[in-house]
Amino acid sequence: MKITAGLTAQPTISPNSVDGTGNSELVLCPHCDLAQYLPVLAAGEEAHCDRCQQQLDARQYDPILPPALYAASALLMLLLANLFPFVSMAIAGNRSEIHFFDTSAVLFNQFHQSLAILVWLIIQAVPAFCMLAVIYLKIGMLYRLPARIWVARVLFMLKPWSMVDIFLMGLLISFVKLVATAEISLGMSFWAFCLFCLLHLRTFQVLDRHALWASIAPSPQPVLRVKEGHTGLSMQLKLCHCCTAVMPIQQKRCSRCYTRVYARLPASLQKTLALLLTACVLYIPANVLPIMRTVSLGEITDSTIISGFILMWQNGEYPVAIIIFLASVVIPIIKIAVMFWLCFLASTPTLSKGKRNGIIYQLVDWVGRWSMVDVLVVAFMAALVRFGLLASVYPKIGAVLFAAVVITTMLAAVSFDPRLLWDHQPSADNPQAYLNTEGVIK
Ligand SMILES: [Zn+2]
Ligand SMILES: [Zn+2]
């Protein structure tokens, strides 16, 4: 196991040994299933998997106070972001001012309920819940509050769906689009929202997941010492993805967090392929149908994702045009193509190259959510630009379909089990795999 230290911290025991006090903990890598004993880490240290370099644990200097303070500050900023004017826009003597909540409320009033609820969830409800959950769990570490297991489960499940960072990017793109034709003024709430984004990000950076679950209950450990370098599957062990506990393969639910646990996600490839095919089907109308209707001096123009990009390019707004093109066209196509390729590799043992493809999987999984930026741009502009026939923006069905494409591809990545890429790769219990993949036994 590779240990990377923070400032001056050093591991307190040898990475590959078990100390006599039972402080060393068996973990299975969530990406490649390799069994390793996790040493006691000092503050600031991280432990990475020997085989795939996935981070297995990261120790914070103080696991309780900083996350709780950052989360409480973030919640305060979110409250302030909802209290004061967010952004105002002036055009030809007319002024439109919106509050942060209007971003979803206007859509709801314009009968785009599905888009309104989605936007409200990903920029208000889910981020607020995450911050509340962090505060509750941190206080719970001190006072043993009830239902911490369920709160922690929902927190880590919802974390990828908190998209305040993407909304901030959407705001900047919208400003670049609008600033040529209108005067934009930023209200108090806008700056509060920027601070909220930073504090929200920082809260998750300092959140010590391992310490959090350890405070709820000690990690269940196999009775017998197991061999490192073997996969969990070969030793009849499996990993709880929610709380990282290790348990016998015949046990159905995790004894710590009660999550249903599988050695490999059932029908992972079939589910992933079904979701990818759905995304492909949705992607065509999402690009053909308009995502936005613009009214300017009585003239109505419907724009698709591509025509919006072409217009921005012709207007010389190259950086924004490139961002929109990457987020809305390149990333979804690459993500769908890469996920299809990974499904093919996972079902073709002789082709699997775990380490490289594991990194590619993590990359497309992370970058995929940024495709939501165009949908959020449309939502924000529809809320702000409301001057009747003079200038107005309305969302169209293409935006809803494109949001569905992004959600479907995110679900496809969640359904994919990356351990399938490693099941025919070298490990101590499967040395023959070296022959299959590298031609030599190492
Ligand atoms: Zn690994
Ligand atoms: Zn668990």
Side-chain angles (χ1 to χ4, degrees):
M1 187 181 301
K2 184 181 170 191
I3 309 289
T4 53
L7 297 174
T8 56
Q10 292 295 322
T12 52
I13 62 169
S14 163
N16 292 318
S17 70
V18 186
D19 65 358
T21 62
N23 283 333
S24 189
E25 177 187 331
L26 178 73
V27 290
L28 297 177
C29 174
H31 277 246
C32 73
D33 201 31
L34 200 70
Q36 291 148 90
Y37 276 95
L38 192 67
V40 178
L41 298 180
E45 284 185 338
E46 296 177 2
H48 292 259
C49 172
D50 256 345
R51 186 158 69 154
C52 73
Q53 307 307 316
Q54 165 74 17
Q55 188 188 81
L56 298 174
D57 192 14
R59 193 53 28 85
Q60 300 295 328
Y61 287 93
D62 181 349
I64 299 179
L65 199 57
L69 287 179
Y70 282 126
S73 309
L75 271 182
L76 178 65
M77 288 302 135
L78 185 61
L79 181 68
L80 293 177
N82 279 284
L83 287 182
F84 302 103
F86 191 55
V87 178
S88 66
M89 173 181 169
I91 183 167
N94 297 290
R95 179 167 286 275
S96 162
E97 185 177 82
I98 60 165
H99 283 65
F100 181 46
F101 186 69
D102 290 334
T103 311
S104 46
V106 170
L107 291 177
F108 201 88
N109 294 334
Q110 288 177 347
F111 305 105
H112 297 287
Q113 284 90 348
S114 55
L115 200 57
I117 292 169
L118 173 71
V119 171
W120 178 73
L121 283 173
I122 63 179
I123 69 171
Q124 290 249 30
V126 171
F129 172 82
C130 289
M131 295 301 100
L132 279 170
V134 170
I135 295 169
Y136 184 83
L137 290 167
K138 291 301 160 186
I139 295 173
M141 283 174 82
L142 297 173
Y143 299 106
R144 304 250 147 216
L145 296 175
R148 281 177 298 151
I149 290 171
W150 304 104
V151 174
R153 278 179 61 173
V154 178
L155 169 66
F156 292 114
M157 190 179 72
L158 288 181
K159 187 185 157 198
W161 300 93
S162 175
M163 299 191 181
V164 287
D165 45 354
I166 301 170
F167 183 63
L168 185 59
M169 170 72 84
L171 288 177
L172 300 179
I173 291 172
S174 305
F175 295 156
V176 174
K177 280 177 149 190
L178 294 171
V179 80
T181 53
E183 182 191 327
I184 302 291
S185 305
L186 306 176
M188 281 268 292
S189 284
F190 174 79
W191 300 110
F193 178 74
C194 291
L195 285 174
F196 169 66
C197 287
L198 288 174
L199 290 164
H200 175 274
L201 185 69
R202 187 69 187 142
T203 303
F204 281 112
Q205 278 180 341
V206 297
L207 187 64
D208 192 328
R209 186 172 181 164
H210 193 268
L212 178 65
W213 280 111
S215 74
I216 292 172
S219 177
Q221 291 284 291
V223 178
L224 298 174
R225 169 94 193 269
V226 301
K227 294 175 191 166
E228 284 185 290
H230 292 248
T231 59
L233 198 61
S234 71
M235 292 180 295
Q236 299 291 296
L237 295 171
K238 60 183 177 181
L239 169 81
C240 171
H241 267 270
C242 181
C243 75
T244 71
V246 178
M247 69 203 71
I249 211 158
Q250 62 273 19
Q251 189 176 321
K252 287 191 174 158
R253 287 190 182 274
C254 174
S255 55
R256 178 157 69 170
C257 71
Y258 313 121
T259 305
R260 181 125 187 160
V261 182
Y262 302 98
R264 296 290 179 270
L265 294 177
S268 165
L269 295 182
Q270 291 90 329
K271 285 179 190 167
T272 308
L273 286 170
L275 286 163
L276 288 175
L277 287 172
T278 309
C280 287
V281 170
L282 290 170
Y283 189 75
I284 297 166
N287 275 274
V288 172
L289 296 172
I291 62 163
M292 186 167 75
R293 168 166 289 178
T294 312
V295 180
S296 180
L297 299 174
E299 189 182 330
I300 297 173
T301 313
D302 286 347
S303 56
T304 61
I305 290 170
I306 292 291
S307 69
F309 157 73
I310 293 171
L311 189 66
M312 276 185 282
W313 189 266
Q314 286 171 343
N315 290 341
E317 297 159 358
Y318 302 120
V320 176
I322 290 169
I323 291 172
I324 290 287
F325 186 72
L326 285 175
S328 303
V329 180
V330 177
I331 290 175
I333 290 176
I334 287 184
K335 182 168 183 180
I336 291 171
V338 166
M339 291 302 301
F340 270 124
W341 174 244
L342 292 178
C343 286
F344 172 68
L345 286 180
S347 59
T348 316
T350 51
L351 289 176
S352 293
K353 294 284 183 191
K355 185 169 182 178
R356 187 185 62 209
N357 293 312
I359 293 169
I360 292 172
Y361 165 72
Q362 289 178 55
L363 198 63
V364 293
D365 186 26
W366 176 80
V367 85
R369 60 198 281 279
W370 284 89
S371 298
M372 199 62 97
V373 71
D374 217 7
V375 176
L376 293 173
V377 166
V378 173
F380 174 70
M381 287 180 63
L384 182 62
V385 188
R386 286 180 295 154
F387 299 97
L389 288 174
L390 180 63
S392 291
V393 170
Y394 302 97
K396 300 292 286 180
I397 186 69
V400 179
L401 292 168
F402 192 74
V405 171
V406 180
I407 292 169
T408 316
T409 53
M410 284 177 72
L411 291 175
V414 171
S415 305
F416 183 76
D417 193 334
R419 293 170 295 188
L420 296 173
L421 293 167
W422 288 92
D423 279 348
H424 302 280
Q425 292 289 290
S427 66
D429 53 80
N430 190 18
Q432 189 64 24
Y434 281 91
L435 286 172
N436 293 341
T437 57
E438 304 288 341
V440 292
I441 298 178
K442 292 182 180 175

